[in-house]
Amino acid sequence: MIVAGFGFRQGATLQSIEDALALAQQFSPRVTLLATAADKAVSPEMARLAAVLGLPLTGVSGQVLARIATPTRSEASLASHGTGSVAEASALAAAEPGAQLIAMRQISPDRMATCAIAQGLTP
């Protein structure tokens, strides 16, 4: 399983999120699942991205995100979700135990969205 995890600011556009994904996908094989914080999973932009890509979208609870150590650190992510990177933590959590990042957090050019990609142990 290859999971693209996302973090984004309020007001991020679909283009911002797509740009972050494109940057992260330079380092990884084909994504099979999208993930983000549960409160962000209900955003229209994430729903549109999932529809455009034809991929499932999962929301990760704040409690789970806060338990995951991430290699990068954003003060905004720490303040809002208790983790250094919502994108990295979402990708790792959704890719199941033992997952590893294959693309660390990439930031969209407008700095409104981030994406990281994790690979789980199961295909």
Side-chain angles (χ1 to χ4, degrees):
M1 175 184 316
I2 307 291
V3 180
F6 296 89
F8 51 94
R9 296 176 184 204
Q10 185 174 10
T13 64
L14 176 60
Q15 187 64 56
S16 299
I17 296 168
E18 287 176 326
D19 289 348
L21 175 61
L23 290 169
Q25 281 190 306
Q26 297 177 79
F27 305 100
S28 77
R30 185 176 156 349
V31 170
T32 58
L33 177 68
L34 307 178
T36 190
D39 63 324
K40 294 180 176 292
V42 298
S43 77
E45 291 77 16
M46 284 305 300
R48 277 189 253 142
L49 181 65
V52 165
L53 297 176
L55 293 174
L57 169 64
T58 189
V60 180
S61 77
Q63 291 175 331
V64 171
L65 292 176
R67 289 194 306 256
I68 297 177
T70 60
T72 68
R73 181 181 168 112
S74 158
E75 294 303 321
S77 290
L78 276 172
S80 65
H81 290 88
T83 185
S85 168
V86 171
E88 291 171 351
S90 295
L92 288 166
E96 302 173 356
Q100 294 189 342
L101 285 176
I102 53 178
M104 291 187 353
R105 173 177 62 128
Q106 301 296 307
I107 304 169
S108 64
D110 66 2
R111 306 197 59 79
M112 295 294 286
T114 59
C115 180
I117 299 178
Q119 182 168 10
L121 299 177
T122 57

